[in-house]
Amino acid sequence: MYLVILWFSGLNIRKMRRLIIFIVLLFIFSCNKSSNPPAVNETMNETMNESSAEESDSNLTAEEIFSTSLVQEIAGVDDIDLQIYIEEQFYNLASKSDKVTLDRISSSIYLLCYVQGGAKKSFILQKYYDPVNDEFIFDKSVTDINASDIFLKK
């Protein structure tokens, strides 16, 4: 359509060729810039994320792996204070057990259970805020209940 208008407007062939080449090059470069760099950037970001994840996993101690597995993977929360508390209070007790789990009962109450030598041990972990010291503290108590007692009707 545009070619017909240009043809009838009296432009000579040489000017029309230059204009067509300019429009085609402009179209090619504009399409090229919008499609390629994000793909390259996404690939680079994925590679960097994978390498940083591998580095962070390889730098974790056994205690950190234990607490991260329980808090982030099983309970599905991102609570550094809880991870530190579990590392300090439960790693020595539960790291050699057959099974360990952490269930989130509420935003501040967790149930940690582990099986060691056929005996099941359960602890209720309660998270508190200490406004005087501006920090979070935890309290643990031994209990006989388990996750199925709390979440399932019998």
Side-chain angles (χ1 to χ4, degrees):
M1 177 83 175
Y2 291 111
L3 295 175
V4 173
I5 294 172
L6 289 176
W7 182 262
F8 287 110
S9 67
L11 292 175
N12 63 22
I13 294 175
R14 184 176 279 170
K15 288 183 181 178
M16 201 174 353
R17 283 185 190 163
R18 288 182 185 167
L19 184 60
I20 292 171
I21 291 171
F22 177 74
I23 291 171
V24 169
L25 289 175
L26 182 65
F27 178 75
I28 290 171
F29 284 119
S30 66
C31 290
N32 190 15
K33 287 183 181 179
S34 66
S35 63
N36 284 344
V40 171
N41 287 340
E42 288 174 9
T43 305
M44 289 175 52
N45 287 340
E46 288 174 6
T47 305
M48 291 178 69
N49 288 341
E50 289 173 4
S51 64
S52 65
E54 289 173 2
E55 289 174 5
S56 65
D57 287 346
S58 64
N59 294 337
L60 294 176
T61 64
E63 293 89 353
E64 291 171 333
I65 293 170
F66 177 78
S67 67
T68 301
S69 299
L70 288 173
V71 175
Q72 292 181 5
E73 300 298 322
I74 294 178
V77 294
D78 189 18
D79 189 341
I80 301 298
D81 297 321
L82 180 60
Q83 285 181 230
I84 293 170
Y85 181 75
I86 289 175
E87 289 171 19
E88 293 172 352
Q89 297 295 317
F90 292 99
Y91 178 75
N92 291 332
L93 297 172
S95 64
K96 305 284 189 239
S97 64
D98 302 328
K99 301 175 190 176
V100 182
T101 189
L102 180 70
D103 293 300
R104 182 178 181 186
I105 298 171
S106 73
S107 61
S108 64
I109 299 175
Y110 298 89
L111 178 66
L112 185 126
C113 301
Y114 63 94
V115 177
Q116 190 168 20
K120 187 170 190 175
K121 298 181 182 181
S122 299
F123 293 89
I124 298 262
L125 308 179
Q126 177 82 43
K127 183 176 184 178
Y128 297 99
Y129 175 67
D130 179 8
V132 173
N133 297 319
D134 190 32
E135 66 181 2
F136 289 102
I137 57 173
F138 290 87
D139 185 30
K140 68 179 176 182
S141 58
V142 179
T143 183
D144 293 333
I145 62 173
N146 58 33
S148 62
D149 294 339
I150 297 171
F151 298 115
L152 302 175
K153 290 184 179 182
K154 290 184 180 181

